[in-house]
Amino acid sequence: MAMLSKFLIQCQAAKKQLYYIDVEVHKLAHGAVSWEKPEFGWVKRNVDAVVFASQERIELGCVIHNSDGRFFAARCVGRFGTFSAREAEALGIREALSWLKEYQLPCVIVEMDCLQVFQALTGVFYGPNGFGLIIEDCRELALAI
């Protein structure tokens, strides 16, 4: 988990649970979840992905808001290939981390909606498959930021 010490990763699960994960603090809050602007000095990056299985492609989207809740930047990237939803979400996180490396922003919240990716990033996970390799790339990028 030390590799994610610069990041506060939020994951909104389908059951309306919000998990805040920090290296030092773990807390779980239940209830309706809505987007909130980041605290002063921080930016928030929201990441999502969509799979178009019949067209064998995915779209990845990232949006950054500043601590006033105002739009800062966005990026959308398409990829051809056959991917599962969790692979697409993990690729979205990898794209977001690559972009963060370019921007060199020190205080960033990365928010996602895929519990499987969240758990793989924050827990002990190893998988020699495509998903596992993407998670490993994400971890390496997090260390490099």
Side-chain angles (χ1 to χ4, degrees):
M1 280 225 226
M3 73 186 115
L4 297 174
S5 63
K6 291 184 182 179
F7 301 103
L8 174 63
I9 300 180
Q10 297 179 344
C11 176
Q12 179 181 339
K15 294 183 180 182
K16 299 293 184 184
Q17 295 177 337
L18 183 65
Y19 298 89
Y20 294 90
I21 298 297
D22 191 332
V23 173
E24 306 301 327
V25 179
H26 299 288
K27 71 179 183 179
L28 173 65
H30 298 278
V33 177
S34 62
W35 188 90
E36 294 180 9
K37 65 183 180 180
E39 292 184 24
F40 181 78
W42 287 75
V43 296
K44 183 180 277 190
R45 159 148 291 173
N46 294 88
V47 180
D48 208 356
V50 63
V51 176
F52 297 99
S54 65
Q55 299 171 12
E56 295 186 347
R57 71 181 176 94
I58 58 172
E59 295 288 330
L60 315 169
C62 307
V63 177
I64 300 176
H65 290 87
N66 65 17
S67 57
D68 293 327
R70 295 176 194 234
F71 173 81
F72 178 75
R75 179 179 277 183
C76 183
V77 177
R79 299 273 189 267
F80 286 100
T82 304
F83 300 95
S84 68
R86 75 178 188 161
E87 289 170 335
E89 293 283 349
L91 286 168
I93 296 299
R94 187 177 73 181
E95 182 69 25
L97 291 171
S98 295
W99 197 22
L100 287 173
K101 188 176 176 183
E102 290 175 29
Y103 268 94
Q104 298 180 352
L105 299 169
C107 299
V108 179
I109 298 167
V110 177
E111 192 171 72
M112 67 188 80
D113 63 357
C114 184
L115 184 59
Q116 289 178 318
V117 172
F118 170 79
Q119 289 173 333
L121 287 171
T122 59
V124 177
F125 177 84
Y126 172 77
N129 57 14
F131 179 68
L133 295 173
I134 298 165
I135 293 300
E136 185 60 33
D137 283 350
C138 291
R139 290 177 173 165
E140 289 176 12
L141 278 167
L143 283 172
I145 295 175

